[in-house]
Amino acid sequence: MSGKGKDKKDKPARQIAALPVHWDKNGKLRVLMVTSRDTGRWVMPKGWLMDGKKPWEAAKIEALEEAGAVGWISDQAIGRYHYAKRLAKGRKLRTRVVVYPMLVEKLKRRWKERKERKRHWFSLKKAAKLVDEPELTDLLLALAKDSEALAEVEQRQAS
C-alpha cells in the first residue's frame, strides 16, 4: 500500500465550532452550550466548512442556526479538539474541530433549530464536566484557568 492512500485515510475530517461566551452581570464568564440532535448531550455549536465562507464565518452561522446566538466572532482560533463523528450504520469518522471564540451580544427567541435543541449558559468548568470529548474538556478547563485569552478577544473586537 502506498503512503499516499494511508495519509488520506488517517487525515481527520474538518469541522468548525463557535465558542459563544459572555460575561454575566456578576462578571463571571459563561459559555453557551447546545444539546446535540441525536443523543441530547451538551456540545458547542459546530458544523462542516461551507463553500465560499471563511471558517470563522461558518462557525458564526452554526452558532446562529443551532443556538440563536448573535455576536462578534474572532478570525483567530482559540483551540481545537478531536472526536469520533457518528455516521450511519454505526460507523465513526475521526474529526478535528477548530474552535473560534464568539462574543454573544444577544440570543434570538426564535432560531432555526430551536425545536431540535436546548441551549444553556454554563461556567467553563461546568461545561468541561458536561462534554464527552477529552480534548474539549482540556480546552475549556484551560480557558477557565486563564480567561485572559478571551479578554484579549474582547479587546480585539472593541478596536
Side-chain angles (χ1 to χ4, degrees), residues 84-101:
K85 171 96 177 135
R86 296 173 195 164
L87 301 175
K89 299 181 183 170
R91 293 183 324 157
K92 292 184 178 177
L93 176 65
R94 186 166 177 264
T95 306
R96 182 181 76 174
V97 182
V98 178
V99 181
Y100 295 90

Side-chain angles (χ1 to χ4, degrees), residues 59-117:
K60 185 176 182 177
I61 291 168
E62 293 295 343
L64 177 61
E65 290 180 355
E66 294 184 6
V70 177
W72 179 87
I73 196 157
S74 176
D75 61 359
Q76 301 293 312
I78 201 158
R80 61 187 42 84
Y81 67 95
H82 293 84
Y83 80 108
K85 171 96 177 135
R86 296 173 195 164
L87 301 175
K89 299 181 183 170
R91 293 183 324 157
K92 292 184 178 177
L93 176 65
R94 186 166 177 264
T95 306
R96 182 181 76 174
V97 182
V98 178
V99 181
Y100 295 90
M102 178 180 182
L103 301 176
V104 177
E105 294 161 8
K106 74 175 194 171
L107 291 179
K108 291 182 150 247
R109 289 167 109 163
R110 296 170 52 86
W111 71 97
K112 186 174 180 180
E113 297 182 15
R114 71 186 176 279
K115 294 181 178 166
E116 302 167 66
R117 300 179 186 273

